[in-house]
Amino acid sequence: MTLFNYQDFFTNELTQLHREGRYRVFADLERETRSGIHALDHRTGKRVTIWCSNDYLSMGVHPDVITAALGALEHYGAGAGGTRNISGTSHEHVLLERELADLHGKQSALLFTSGYVANDAALSSLGRLLPGCVIFSDALNHASMIEGIRRSGAEKRVFAHNDWHDLERQLASVDPHRPKLICFESCYSMDGDFAPMEAICDLAEKHTAFTYVDEVHAVGLYGARGAGIAERDGLLDRIDMFQGTLSKGFGAMGGYIAGSLEAVDFVRGFAPGFIFSSALPPCVVAGIRAALHHLKEDDTPRRALARRTASLKAKMQANAIPALPSPSHIVPVMIGDAALAKAITDRLMVEHGIYIQPINYPTVPRGTERLRITPTPLHTDEDEDTLVAALVAIRQEFPRWRELAQAARP
Ligand code: PMP
């Protein structure tokens, strides 16, 4: 019998990824703080304009954020020095948790090293420990929620994306005495659509279910103080637990949950992803606090992003670029094939100095490969015109794009 050849196995798997056009190639970027939207790509040696960053409000390069982070770096040093339980809790952590709880109108909040870990740790603990728990999960939920639910071992029911009628049918079919968790996102990252949050809250009340919403793509961006869609829609007190990231609207790194004292304390006491991992560096936390203060008090970045998004979408529509009609700041442009998406993004990078990462399976279903374009307040009219002109030129070079994009709409 031949022995297992690890090297051959890895090579064959990678060859298959290459064949499907799904092999991941990273842009090797050096972002310019001063412009915020330009970077040197070390692979090509070119200066490029970034059109796919999740630093949606450009808070990562805001002078107040950088000053706060630098000050804390000098004051506290580079790292936290341990897990939250063992020496890693700094005053910055305590203050940020208070401020996040206040943002969401909740009693308590808890920080994690990323939004992924927050979802995985909170859901795996809640689902595992709530006795006989059933978890109702939107079909398009993020991998971190799916993984947390899977690891909880709880019974899982997937409801059709944003279909609260389907959710209602499924809730009604479960023993009313069992604990029920409804998990969904407020703004879906790949289609840019919003959840029917009010209808879901109504159903949760009717069926005594616990609502857990991932506002990762909405915190900082929506609502008068940037608390997200629940704040925008006046539903803060109807959601049991919020989960958010500090890496997108707030421009840095980390994740959190916010909820009642007891619910948050429960996760704090039982979630291994919280207990056994080092705390975020205090300097990062200080930078986030500066972003949070800014976005709570000043609506200017949100309004600037909304204007930029509307103007980009209008130009795309005028030029028949196949953008999904998303209501949010996320502008998905359909391609419908992984190899074609890669060829188009390579052309954008090399010929036009525009960086957009192609989005392929498993992030989106096969056949719905796309460009996920994210404007920021720092992009200009000129940047927008350059992007749209480049897409129009590339469409001439790849006639297949037009046919495939039509079929690719989710
Ligand atoms: N939830 C959603 C909906 C996401 O899109 C992501 C990542 N982009 C996460 C959670 C994980 O957040 P983080 O990047 O902070 O780990």
Side-chain angles (χ1 to χ4, degrees), residues 132-138 155-160 163-184 196-212 238 240:
C133 180
V134 186
I135 303 186
F136 299 83
S137 175
D138 186 283
E155 182 182 335
K156 173 181 166 181
R157 306 275 185 104
V158 176
F159 61 93
D163 184 344
W164 58 269
H165 297 288
D166 186 31
L167 173 61
E168 174 152 45
R169 272 190 298 276
Q170 302 214 37
L171 281 165
S173 72
V174 168
D175 176 350
H177 299 99
R178 290 176 73 178
K180 296 173 235 23
L181 224 63
I182 304 176
C183 302
F184 63 107
M197 197 182 278
E198 188 167 11
I200 292 177
C201 290
D202 290 345
L203 287 177
E205 241 163 62
K206 186 170 156 197
H207 294 271
T208 344
F210 186 96
T211 41
Y212 180 102
R238 299 189 65 200
D240 291 303

Side-chain angles (χ1 to χ4, degrees), residues 54 114-116 119 142 144 185 189 214 216-217 243 245 247-248 254:
N54 278 340
S114 73
Y116 188 104
N119 270 335
H142 187 256
S144 52
E185 297 177 29
S189 62
D214 171 322
V216 158
H217 295 278
Q243 181 272 352
T245 188
S247 68
K248 302 184 196 309

Side-chain angles (χ1 to χ4, degrees), residues 282-356:
C283 54
V284 172
V285 177
I288 294 161
R289 291 187 57 230
L292 185 70
H293 298 166
H294 190 78
L295 293 172
K296 265 184 181 174
E297 283 151 27
D298 186 359
D299 214 20
T300 314
R302 277 186 286 282
R303 278 190 280 112
L305 178 61
R307 271 199 307 276
R308 180 58 57 211
T309 308
S311 133
L312 177 63
K313 285 177 180 169
K315 282 179 193 167
M316 293 233 176
Q317 197 175 13
N319 287 278
I321 302 296
L324 282 187
S326 89
S328 70
H329 59 288
I330 296 166
V331 185
V333 171
M334 304 313 287
I335 306 284
D337 177 77
L340 183 60
K342 168 129 183 34
I344 288 173
T345 53
D346 282 351
R347 188 76 99 235
L348 278 168
M349 187 77 139
V350 175
E351 299 290 322
H352 301 273
I354 289 170
Y355 170 48
I356 301 173

Side-chain angles (χ1 to χ4, degrees), residues 332-387:
V333 171
M334 304 313 287
I335 306 284
D337 177 77
L340 183 60
K342 168 129 183 34
I344 288 173
T345 53
D346 282 351
R347 188 76 99 235
L348 278 168
M349 187 77 139
V350 175
E351 299 290 322
H352 301 273
I354 289 170
Y355 170 48
I356 301 173
Q357 192 71 26
I359 307 286
N360 296 328
Y361 174 84
T363 309
V364 293
R366 287 181 207 274
T368 71
E369 289 81 0
R370 64 196 69 181
L371 313 182
R372 178 180 179 275
I373 299 180
T374 48
T376 72
L378 296 181
H379 287 101
T380 63
D381 288 342
E382 198 187 342
D383 293 323
E384 238 173 46
D385 292 340
T386 307
L387 170 64

